[in-house]
Amino acid sequence: FFSAMVAMDYSDLIAPCALVVLGVVGYVVYTTLRGPTQSDVRGVNNAAAGAEMEEDMSKPSLKILFGSQTGSAETFAKTLVQEGKTIGFRSEAVDLLDYEPEDLQDESCVVFVVATYGEGEPTDSARDFYEWFNEQNKETCDLSNVNYSIFGLGDTQYKHFN
């Protein structure tokens, strides 16, 4: 399996990864708006019981990075982790405050779940990552193989929102 991945052109993964991410985001929005059902509650209990099992390293990795001010982006990120695991990803949510930006070049598939604060500024937990990204040296950090999607949480009450 790994030898096939080495020979594989990662640009072929962009469309499928984007499709999966859009599907997961759509499903998360749908389930969030409809509220929990009885089977959802049972699924949470089963997921908690299965959390003790070691993750299968042969599954594709999905890193979900979130920047939240009030907790909304974190909640969505954690839901995406569970949905990603359900459809076969080895997924993990990480607060941008705790994430080393230099590690981004080593990721294969990333979903950014970010909120804005004030008039479109990054949240406190995303500020350092935002500044690094805007100032990073393109020669020292190659992000060309990183497949990503951005899920922005904004507020229409602000003049500038995402």
Side-chain angles (χ1 to χ4, degrees):
F1 175 75
F2 290 106
S3 62
M5 285 191 67
V6 171
M8 183 179 191
D9 179 7
Y10 286 106
S11 63
D12 295 339
L13 292 176
I14 292 173
C17 186
L19 219 75
V20 167
V21 168
L22 286 175
V24 169
V25 168
Y27 180 77
V28 168
V29 170
Y30 167 74
T31 58
T32 301
L33 293 176
R34 80 170 157 84
T37 65
Q38 189 67 6
S39 64
D40 290 338
V41 173
R42 281 193 305 270
V44 168
N45 293 337
N46 290 340
E52 297 172 4
M53 295 182 354
E54 190 173 319
E55 286 197 90
D56 183 358
M57 297 305 285
S58 67
K59 292 180 179 179
S61 173
L62 174 62
K63 186 77 70 171
I64 301 163
L65 302 175
F66 65 89
S68 192
Q69 193 71 27
T70 62
S72 297
E74 181 177 4
T75 300
F76 273 103
K78 289 180 178 179
T79 303
L80 281 173
V81 165
Q82 292 306 316
E83 296 303 323
K85 288 180 179 182
T86 301
I87 60 173
F89 281 94
R90 188 172 32 91
S91 52
E92 172 189 23
V94 179
D95 190 330
L96 282 167
L97 186 63
D98 301 324
Y99 187 75
E100 290 298 326
E102 294 80 14
D103 292 343
L104 187 59
Q105 66 186 356
D106 300 325
E107 306 291 349
S108 59
C109 193
V110 179
V111 177
F112 291 91
V113 181
V114 291
T116 56
Y117 182 71
E119 291 295 331
E121 295 90 25
T123 62
D124 292 341
S125 67
R127 184 170 312 282
D128 289 344
F129 183 89
Y130 174 81
E131 289 172 1
W132 171 86
F133 188 79
N134 284 320
E135 297 171 3
Q136 64 111 353
N137 185 340
K138 304 257 189 268
E139 287 93 34
T140 61
C141 190
D142 181 16
L143 302 177
S144 63
N145 290 321
V146 179
N147 297 297
Y148 66 92
S149 179
I150 301 172
F151 182 55
L153 301 167
D155 189 332
T156 58
Q157 293 180 2
Y158 298 122
K159 182 178 178 182
H160 304 288
F161 68 96
N162 39 329

